[in-house]
Amino acid sequence: MTPDEFRRHGRQVVDWIAAYQEKIESYPVRSQVAPGEVLEALPPSPPETGEGFEGVLADLDRVLMPGITHWQHPSFFAYFPANASGPAILGDLLSSGLGVQGMLWATSPACTELETRVVDWLAQLLELPEAYRGNGVIQDSASSASLVAVVAALHRAGGGRPGRDGITARYTLYTSSQTHSSLEKAARICGIGAAAVRVVDVDPQTLAMDPACLETTIARDRAAGAVPLLVCATVGTTSTTAIDPVPEIGVVCRRNDAWLHVDAAYAGVAAVCPELRWLNDGLAQYADSYVTNPHKWMLTNFDCTTLWVADRAPLVGALSVLPEYLRNQATASGEVIDYRDWQIPLGRRFRALKLWSVIRWYGAQGLRAHIRSGIGLAQELAGWIEADAAFHLHPHHPLGLVCFRPLWPQLPDAEADATTLRIMQRLNDSGELYLTHTKAGGRVLLRMAIGAPGTELRHVRLAWDRIAAAVRAETAP
Amino acid sequence: MTPDEFRRHGRQVVDWIAAYQEKIESYPVRSQVAPGEVLEALPPSPPETGEGFEGVLADLDRVLMPGITHWQHPSFFAYFPANASGPAILGDLLSSGLGVQGMLWATSPACTELETRVVDWLAQLLELPEAYRGNGVIQDSASSASLVAVVAALHRAGGGRPGRDGITARYTLYTSSQTHSSLEKAARICGIGAAAVRVVDVDPQTLAMDPACLETTIARDRAAGAVPLLVCATVGTTSTTAIDPVPEIGVVCRRNDAWLHVDAAYAGVAAVCPELRWLNDGLAQYADSYVTNPHKWMLTNFDCTTLWVADRAPLVGALSVLPEYLRNQATASGEVIDYRDWQIPLGRRFRALKLWSVIRWYGAQGLRAHIRSGIGLAQELAGWIEADAAFHLHPHHPLGLVCFRPLWPQLPDAEADATTLRIMQRLNDSGELYLTHTKAGGRVLLRMAIGAPGTELRHVRLAWDRIAAAVRAETAP
């Protein structure tokens, strides 16, 4: 593709995206296709000769769009938001256009140094601990970042032996029932195994980890000869945005020489608002590693997870391997950061460009306004639910996620839960909104996560009206 | 950013990239900045209020571009190529514009099903084994893909126990001295440890793994109670594109119940040319997993690694964790693929779009022409080196990489090697070309990897003239 062809097709794609943004509300939020429908509509074999780019755009509209679930739709309330934004899209486009590899400082110094700077900007915006300054890195996902934290914790706990000799001690890892599944996945991958994951009790109301139970669980494990490796405290769990008590957990970690990893994948970026800085409680004193995802609620397209560590030595110690073909003067000088030693993959895209574009376009004020808008809408919604006698509101909803369930007073619990899920399915099938569910205290809860850039009061109102009407229709005689 | 603002700034960025493509030869290939230079030029604190997008583009030119090493420059011969192309850039732009999450089939069916189809197209283009059909997935990098292969091998070898109970047996992993460092990294991360990596001898001429040595090494380990877990055979090593004898290695793997992982990160895509199908020798009979990188030499922007497995069960078995908040009807039906279970991270971008765009734009013929052009230029270069009495040509150069060294007949080896590295540094400092080095047989070799989309004979000729002149200047009295 010549530069002139790129200009022409590039404009087509830019216009396509702008038009998509303008008409996104005309699509059903959740794709309505059945398994195999898109696959069947795509030619089974690749073309022998090249085609124009128009065919791609035509098939995008004809074949792919029916199979798209619109995460940027203002009525998308499922999972957590995965914000896209104009400046992030364009920052990523610049990254693709430059096509550089940022594995080493030497392979494109600006790729490393912009990342150092912009991740530091984010640390300032969130008022993260001083110790994190210069010790941050962009990862693809919180899952990978948590695996990296576990591997660094192993390096520290085992004095470098686990990387060299493998897992030879009995390490244990502490989560709650509300911790993200990526911690169990990390335990499987890193060789300590899922059975080494201890599920610490939570407070039945707040669903926050119980530090006393953590302490007794660790004591029991130590008595049995295990080494308490890492505790994952979550600030804003995936299920219900429960907030684990990081300061109290940190005290237990310190006493037991365990690594404290704080997973604030969804909630962490909200600390851009000064009134939410309590989200950082305990980080400065106790957290060895901290992760939050600008790609969820901070307007930066996936993938952009930020991981900070209080001390980079165990991280780099665990992950650095230097073959001859990567040796270079800058690395040997020790004056530069090679971010390949801070992550699983070797190669790296220039992801800092999109975070840089986002922070510059919105500024601190714009980012705060976005977070506050999501929280404001969620609190409105919570008010409506609370005022409706047909519903139970999960009492804990400090951010953009609201969990609730219809009461179905006539039904036994299991049947009530099945009815709730059936109603949810019907609402999602309508294409007017998309929400997902979780379980807490053994009961199904509906989750409405608010935070797409385009979501306004009218979208939340429409969703609530549909939900309330569906429940009333079900209970009507 | 409104859709209209996106249209306007989108065009600016598209035009910026097209102009960059047009003037790329005016930049020094390798960045000339010193450590810290870019960092210092960036404001230490983020903006309080948002700014226009023009500032980003202005600072890109002023601050970042001096810190860019131009991987798309036609005189970039370092490492391996990392091809960008117009259709890949635009495919990725569409992915950003849609902003969907492809972690589950249900979260955007088209994201999963286009990936299934297009990875299958690639398997057809490369004529990969039938068993791989439907068993391919896009990963971010070959490093991650190799880690995934190791974890799947552990699942198979341990009957699922390693993921549950951790590493309790003594597993060993086999590489050669030429294997990519990501295998050692995988061994560290997965808990078997770097000391479990056996470095099998290579043929001193071809640098290919010696299957007889592999066999005796495995026998010795087994006698000592170890479980031979995985052998990594490389088709096109990073150092010199050595080709391990996959069929012979496969026989040894089969006899010893070891997983055969074939790393063809760089070379694999060359099998798009029928005359290079020998690159696939032994895959159909023996390879449990196979990885190649369209993001190196197949015109598809990083990140796009393709991994295939002969049997998906151990992969999914090792990596699947299903919390309540991800449960959905489609997953429960078993009719769909959830690619999150095929990788380390949970989240996924819609990477299939760029591979789809590339294959449709170029067609099989265009992709073949690109590979053949790189190989043709490399063979020309090899001819010039061979004809020059001042140089030693590494005899093995079947693809786009040519390795060689000045002879420096008057110098002892160590001094000769130091002189070679000094010359390389000086050439790279000139900005006219960029090449890197490796070591083979204890001696420094210069590497010239040809395969950037814009590289023509004149670029290779200029590089060779500069190299030859620099060596002559050094030896002149």
Side-chain angles (χ1 to χ4, degrees), chain B residues 400-444:
Chain B
L401 175 70
V402 181
C403 298
F404 58 96
R405 61 180 165 82
L407 282 171
W408 311 121
Q410 318 301 336
L411 300 178
D413 286 2
E415 217 174 305
D417 285 349
T419 308
T420 299
L421 288 174
R422 193 156 38 78
I423 293 278
M424 179 186 82
Q425 198 66 46
R426 201 185 306 151
L427 288 162
N428 291 342
D429 286 345
S430 78
E432 288 192 290
L433 70 159
Y434 185 20
L435 69 169
T436 50
H437 79 286
T438 189
K439 269 188 185 166
R443 298 300 305 274
V444 165

Side-chain angles (χ1 to χ4, degrees), chain B residues 19 36 103 117 149 187 217 221 235 242 254 269 279 283 287 294-295 325 330 343 370 379 405 427 446 464:
Chain B
M103 56 190 179
R117 182 58 89 210
T217 309
D221 286 332
V235 175
R254 194 57 63 83
V269 297
L279 289 164
L283 294 185
H295 69 226
Y325 50 79
Q343 62 174 21
H370 172 62
Q379 302 316 312
R405 61 180 165 82
L427 288 162
L446 299 177
W464 172 243

Side-chain angles (χ1 to χ4, degrees), chain B residues 12 94 191 252 277 384 423 434:
Chain B
Q12 288 172 337
L94 285 169
V252 179
R277 292 277 153 76
W384 302 333
I423 293 278
Y434 185 20

